[in-house]
């Protein structure tokens, strides 16, 4: 298939710039996986739409407030760092802006001196290897002075960093939120548990590569970025029990989906597993685990809309996206959601 097959026309005003006032009051399009039928509901209606014995598999990764604003120690010139990957105890690969100021040996100051950094090396592609100096706990310091690395299509400032975290986030390490989970509230999760809907967790640390555009016109030539994941023993056990008892395994988000399908592919079935994945799911892929998917509305020509099309059928998904535009659903990270069953 071609990249252009996954294009749809999206008015700029439908790109959500801020979260819904109440997480679970976002809209929810329900798409029948076999029938292609569409219903318009709200996210809190999940209590009515799911059944006792269903299992929601969620990504508990927490977003690192990885964007740092500071200045060059010698000149006071403004500098922006974006933390990409930890390379040692206090060493990180970072994206810098402006790059011409970040020569080897240059030092930078953040948070009024609470954090300083020295450029150690210039890496292939232009990123820098940086050593940080500070007192106390690095992650606590990031929570204090760091900003959320919001996607490039969100241009408005985020007033509360927690709105770009799921309410069940706990494993720090993502560069972007697993956004399908942003709609859940503690109250909704409790209502689902009371109904007999189970929850289980995987961890996949979302990299900035999730926003990397597909450049190859023939999508089979695209190479996915690599992300680290963990599927714990308890989650593996609950998935297997759900399947044995006739329940449905429903992934919350494309990251949970990629984790489950990666394990099933690598290990030949669901079992405890930790590793790296660059799995690319597009139409023609045969799903090994999933019975349902909760996801947001994704960018045109992205690997994410390709994954959703693989699960629910290309024609059904592209039609659903056209309907979503007509009905003025909110799109992308802070937008509305879709339930595919």
């Amino acid at each position: 298939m071609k990249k252009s097959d996954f294009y749809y026309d999206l008015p700029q005003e439908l790109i959500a710039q801020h979260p819904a006032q109440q997480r679970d009051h976002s809209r929810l399009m329900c798409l029948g996986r076999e029938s292609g039928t569409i219903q318009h509901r709200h996210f809190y209606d999940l209590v009515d739409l799911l059944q006792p014995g269903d299992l929601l598999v969620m990504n508990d990764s927490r977003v690192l407030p990885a964007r740092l604003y500071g200045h060059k120690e010698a000149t006071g010139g403004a500098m922006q760092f974006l933390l990409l990957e930890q390379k040692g105890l206090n060493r990180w690969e970072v994206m810098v802006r402006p790059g011409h100021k970040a020569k080897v040996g240059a030092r930078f100051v953040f948070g009024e001196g609470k954090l300083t950094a020295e450029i150690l090396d210039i890496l292939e592609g232009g990123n820098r290897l940086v050593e940080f100096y500070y007192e106390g706990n690095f992650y606590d310091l990031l929570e204090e002075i760091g900003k959320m690395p919001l996607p490039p299509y969100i241009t408005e400032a985020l007033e509360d960093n927690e709105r770009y975290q799921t309410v069940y986030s706990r494993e720090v390490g993502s560069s972007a939120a697993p956004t399908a989970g942003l709609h859940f509230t503690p109250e909704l999760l409790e209502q689902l548990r009371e109904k007999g809907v189970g929850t289980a967790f995987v961890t996949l640390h979302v990299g900035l590569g999730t926003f990397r555009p597909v450049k190859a016109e023939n999508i089979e030539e695209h190479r996915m970025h690599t992300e680290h994941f963990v599927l714990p023993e308890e989650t593996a056990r609950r998935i297997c029990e759900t399947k044995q008892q006739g329940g449905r395994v429903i992934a919350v988000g494309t990251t949970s989906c990629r984790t489950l399908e990666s394990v099933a592919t690598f290990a030949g079935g669901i079992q405890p597993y930790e590793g790296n994945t660059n799995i690319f799911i597009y139409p023609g892929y045969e799903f090994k685990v999933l019975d349902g998917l909760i996801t947001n509305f994704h960018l045109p020509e992205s690997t994410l809309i390709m994954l959703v099309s693989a699960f629910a059928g290309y024609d059904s998904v592209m039609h659903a996206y056209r309907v979503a535009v007509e009905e003025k659903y909110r799109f992308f990270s802070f937008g509305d959601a879709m339930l595919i069953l």
Side-chain angles (χ1 to χ4, degrees):
M1 299 185 76
K2 296 181 178 179
K3 176 180 70 170
S4 55
D5 292 333
F6 297 90
Y7 178 81
Y8 64 93
D9 190 31
L10 179 67
Q12 188 75 18
E13 63 268 20
L14 296 185
I15 300 174
Q17 293 296 315
H18 51 80
Q21 191 166 7
Q22 292 179 255
R23 287 179 185 259
D24 63 355
H25 279 51
S26 51
R27 296 169 74 187
L28 179 68
M29 176 183 285
C30 303
L31 177 62
R33 187 181 179 194
E34 300 297 331
S35 64
T37 57
I38 291 174
Q39 296 180 50
H40 303 292
R41 306 289 289 267
H42 286 90
F43 202 82
Y44 51 71
D45 290 328
L46 274 183
V47 177
D48 301 320
L49 296 166
L50 300 183
Q51 301 170 0
D54 287 342
L55 180 69
L56 294 172
V57 180
M58 303 167 155
N59 182 5
D60 64 5
S61 184
R62 185 169 175 82
V63 185
L64 198 66
R67 198 178 296 278
L68 295 167
Y69 295 92
H71 63 269
K72 192 171 184 178
E73 188 176 69
T75 64
M79 172 58 70
Q80 181 184 150
F81 277 17
L82 180 61
L83 307 185
L84 297 177
E85 184 178 353
Q86 191 168 9
K87 296 294 188 178
L89 180 60
N90 294 314
R91 294 186 176 189
W92 285 76
E93 180 180 346
V94 303
M95 188 183 300
V96 298
R97 185 179 297 168
H100 69 272
K101 294 182 180 179
K103 295 180 171 61
V104 173
R107 294 178 64 90
F108 299 89
V109 180
F110 305 91
E112 298 179 342
K114 294 178 181 178
L115 180 68
T116 59
E118 180 181 353
I119 306 295
L120 300 181
D121 195 10
I122 299 176
L123 306 176
E124 185 178 352
N127 294 336
R128 269 48 170 189
L129 181 65
V130 169
E131 180 99 23
F132 285 105
Y133 304 92
Y134 56 92
E135 292 184 3
N137 183 283
F138 184 69
Y139 293 102
D140 289 345
L141 191 55
L142 284 182
E143 292 284 352
E144 180 184 344
I145 68 175
K147 302 293 184 183
M148 282 297 170
L150 295 178
Y153 47 75
I154 295 177
T155 57
E156 295 185 11
L158 182 63
E159 294 181 3
D160 178 7
N161 276 356
E162 283 302 309
R163 291 309 307 272
Y164 196 56
Q165 305 278 17
T166 63
V167 297
Y168 47 79
S169 65
R170 54 192 176 193
E171 300 292 338
V172 176
S174 276
S175 299
T179 55
L182 295 178
H183 307 281
F184 285 94
T185 65
E187 295 77 15
L188 178 58
L189 287 169
E190 182 58 33
Q191 291 172 8
L192 289 165
R193 291 189 191 103
E194 289 176 357
K195 184 171 182 176
V197 176
T199 54
F201 297 94
V202 297
T203 303
L204 181 142
H205 291 315
V206 188
L208 289 176
T210 192
F211 302 118
R212 184 186 303 159
V214 177
K215 294 182 178 179
E217 182 58 22
N218 179 358
I219 65 171
E220 294 180 20
E221 297 174 5
H222 178 70
R223 293 293 171 261
M224 286 286 286
H225 57 288
T226 299
E227 295 167 317
H228 187 74
F229 70 89
V230 179
L231 193 152
E233 183 175 355
E234 170 68 11
T235 298
R237 182 184 64 78
R238 298 205 63 187
I239 291 171
C240 293
E241 288 178 353
T242 298
K243 290 286 192 181
Q244 290 166 4
Q245 295 166 6
R248 298 178 295 186
V249 174
I250 301 163
V252 177
T254 57
T255 58
S256 298
C257 165
R258 293 179 70 240
T259 300
L260 296 180
E261 294 298 321
S262 293
V263 173
T265 299
F266 300 159
I270 290 296
Q271 62 184 47
Y273 202 99
E274 179 173 359
N276 296 310
T277 183
N278 63 351
I279 190 171
F280 181 18
I281 298 175
Y282 54 88
Y285 176 86
E286 293 187 10
F287 285 82
K288 303 166 182 63
V289 184
L290 256 63
D291 302 301
L293 177 66
I294 296 172
T295 188
N296 281 15
F297 291 91
H298 303 294
L299 276 73
E301 300 184 337
S302 66
T303 60
L304 303 179
I305 193 173
M306 293 172 191
L307 182 153
V308 176
S309 297
F311 185 68
Y314 170 80
D315 291 335
S316 290
V317 168
M318 298 310 293
H319 172 68
Y321 270 63
R322 288 191 292 271
V323 171
V325 170
E326 292 168 3
E327 296 291 330
K328 292 183 167 46
Y329 275 70
R330 301 169 75 239
F331 280 68
F332 305 164
S333 295
F334 285 144
D336 296 315
M338 176 185 283
L339 169 66
I340 305 171
L341 285 174

